[in-house]
Amino acid sequence: MDAPGWIWRWMEPAYNLASVGGHGTVGNDVLLQKKSAFLNRNFFTACTLVSFAIWTFLASRFRRNSFTQDTDGDVKWTFSSRKWAAAGIPLTAFSLSACIILWVKSMEYHWFSTMYGVWFFAGCMRAALSLGVILMIWLWHRGDYKGILNNNHLHSIGQLMLAFTVFWAYVTFSQYFLIWNANVPEETFWYNLREINNSDGQPNQWKWVGLFLLFGHFFFPFFLLLSYRFKVSKSIIPWIGAFIAFVFLVDLCYNIMPSQKHAKR
């Protein structure tokens, strides 16, 4: 099967790997055979369904506690949310990691990376905190949080945004440095595809997107969030959050689109 159209090429054993610079078919690929316990349709489907069930269940618990407490004001709903939050952190971390590996990383299943799940978890935390602070400011302007939202809340959220910005940079740099230092073809091809043209070795368009992510993901948010004044400013912090969320979306495109473009050559 030479015609492109498979998002996850490993799902089609007859797919001709020559279209993506490989040899033979997917069914005869040794690397896929070694990863078949994880990369198979049954596990893909089960992991996706279980992960959505976890996310839906946790969201329903928090929503129930929040709306019920608005009605009766009982503090027990706060304690319930804390308990579910404690249980939800590892469940969400593992499910997000498994899903991003299956949904995105497996598009280029020859690639090896032990940090991909951690990288995505850090990005999700940054995006969630950013969207959360935008919603808080919007509700404050609407009047719901008047007299409730204060500088301490904004400063705490800003500190978490800064912490995960540094954590994202650490994980991303560590992954890039280790792959660059080892110089193993099974790892370096992922970055080569996003930095240089195969034909002439010149920088391609994705290299500039990568540089934008470097500054947009780390340098700009890092220096802005160092400022206490920016973190507690109701006119500045939502724009910082919007920028972080936008860069995270660009980062997802950076991870997904080059592999699909390469497959259609």
Side-chain angles (χ1 to χ4, degrees), residues 120-135:
F120 184 67
F121 179 75
C124 285
M125 288 300 300
R126 298 183 69 206
L129 290 168
S130 299
L131 293 176
V133 79
I134 292 172
L135 288 173

Side-chain angles (χ1 to χ4, degrees), residues 133-134 136-138 140-141 146 149-151 154 161 224-225 227-243:
V133 79
I134 292 172
M136 285 193 297
I137 299 301
W138 174 65
W140 180 82
H141 281 294
K146 292 289 186 182
L149 184 65
N150 56 46
N151 287 351
L154 295 175
M161 293 167 66
L224 290 173
L225 291 170
S227 170
Y228 173 85
R229 181 169 62 89
F230 288 166
K231 286 198 286 282
V232 301
S233 172
K234 294 182 178 65
S235 60
I236 296 178
I237 190 64
W239 288 106
I240 298 176
F243 180 75

Side-chain angles (χ1 to χ4, degrees), residues 22-78:
H23 304 282
T25 62
V26 166
N28 297 322
D29 192 346
V30 175
L31 285 178
L32 179 61
Q33 293 171 6
K34 297 296 184 180
K35 299 180 179 181
S36 60
F38 183 73
L39 292 182
N40 61 78
R41 294 193 186 192
N42 290 336
F43 187 86
F44 182 95
T45 303
C47 182
T48 299
L49 293 176
V50 170
S51 296
F52 271 101
I54 291 173
W55 303 335
T56 302
F57 177 77
L58 289 173
S60 68
R61 296 299 91 185
F62 294 130
R63 186 179 187 277
R64 181 205 64 180
N65 292 347
S66 178
F67 277 82
T68 307
Q69 191 173 52
D70 288 342
T71 302
D72 60 22
D74 196 327
V75 72
K76 72 177 183 179
W77 302 113
T78 297

Side-chain angles (χ1 to χ4, degrees), residues 249-264:
L249 178 61
V250 175
D251 201 0
L252 289 178
C253 295
Y254 179 78
N255 277 261
I256 296 170
M257 295 177 66
S259 62
Q260 295 303 303
K261 181 179 179 181
H262 181 60
K264 296 180 180 181

